[in-house]
Amino acid sequence: VYNPNFLELNKDTLMTQVIPSNQGGAVDSWAISPTLPNGLVFDTATGSISGTPAGISPQSTYTVYGNNTGGGAIATVTIIVNDAAPSSLIYSPSSFTLTKDVEMQSVTPTAGGGAVVTWSITPSLPVGLLFETSNGTISGTPTVISPLKTYNITATNAGGFGNVSITMEVNDLPPSGIVYSAHPFTLTKGDPMVSNTPTTTGGGAVDSWSITPQLPAGL
């Protein structure tokens, strides 16, 4: 008997050694069929299975034989070796300051460990931006203003998952085309001027106004 007798392992990750137990007479020799996945070791003196799997292997059942001069007994062990979990996820850059209605430069992450099967992100990106679930690429043109937020990205395969965080904000377009219709102003001391409010012909909405140097006294 092997306990456990189902081993789900990860490529390049050391497994916990499994040693069989038996009743009846002492086992003189052990054998296994078929051969274990590359990197795993079967000890013919003890029947133990140990090692670090070096490649991916589909789910397979292995038959173990324990023998002595009185005869033999068998046990079965099922082993599957998944790819290594994704690791060392990197976005470069990892912080994004974007402008509304301006296309961003797309960025694709790098990853170590096993090959990534799927990518996911939470929360959703600002409207207009795209997240590609096949390779983690972020691209697009943001169409709304968004405050600074942290986004958590997960890369997954059969062996597990890896995480990375990025930050992103979307600012408004700068104002442009500021026009005073009465410019230039020719005023007379002591006479009230006709107020003049500027207009903008492009860019984002104006949040605040300032002027330099200070206006003449009285204005």
Side-chain angles (χ1 to χ4, degrees):
V1 176
Y2 283 84
N3 186 19
N5 64 358
F6 179 84
L7 306 176
E8 185 170 7
L9 310 177
N10 283 355
K11 176 178 175 287
D12 298 329
T13 299
L14 179 68
M15 69 168 287
T16 300
Q17 184 183 46
V18 180
I19 301 174
S21 62
N22 68 282
Q23 297 177 345
V27 177
D28 293 332
S29 65
W30 297 83
I32 192 169
S33 180
T35 302
L36 289 173
N38 188 28
L40 297 183
V41 177
F42 180 80
D43 190 330
T44 57
T46 65
S48 68
I49 298 172
S50 61
T52 301
I56 301 169
S57 179
Q59 181 172 315
S60 302
T61 298
Y62 300 83
T63 302
V64 177
Y65 304 87
N67 302 298
N68 65 15
T69 56
I74 65 172
T76 59
V77 180
T78 301
I79 299 175
I80 182 172
V81 182
N82 296 318
D83 202 355
S87 62
S88 303
L89 310 182
I90 298 174
Y91 280 83
S92 183
S94 60
S95 181
F96 301 86
T97 301
L98 309 179
T99 301
K100 178 178 175 287
D101 298 328
V102 176
E103 184 177 10
M104 71 172 288
Q105 183 175 351
S106 65
V107 58
T108 300
T110 60
V116 179
V117 177
T118 60
W119 295 80
S120 60
I121 189 169
T122 183
S124 298
L125 290 172
V127 177
L129 297 181
L130 304 174
F131 182 81
E132 180 55 62
T133 57
S134 64
N135 60 15
T137 296
I138 298 173
S139 61
T141 302
T143 58
V144 295
I145 299 169
S146 178
L148 182 66
K149 289 183 181 179
T150 297
Y151 297 84
N152 297 308
I153 297 164
T154 302
T156 306
N157 66 15
F161 61 89
N163 291 313
V164 65
S165 295
I166 64 170
T167 59
M168 180 180 293
E169 63 180 329
V170 180
N171 296 320
D172 203 354
L173 285 165
S176 63
I178 299 173
V179 176
Y180 283 88
S181 60
H183 171 73
F185 298 95
T186 301
L187 308 177
T188 301
K189 177 177 177 292
D191 289 341
M193 70 171 288
V194 176
S195 65
N196 194 256
T197 301
T199 60
T200 58
T201 59
V206 178
D207 293 329
S208 63
W209 297 82
S210 61
I211 192 170
T212 185
Q214 290 185 345
L215 292 174
L219 296 182

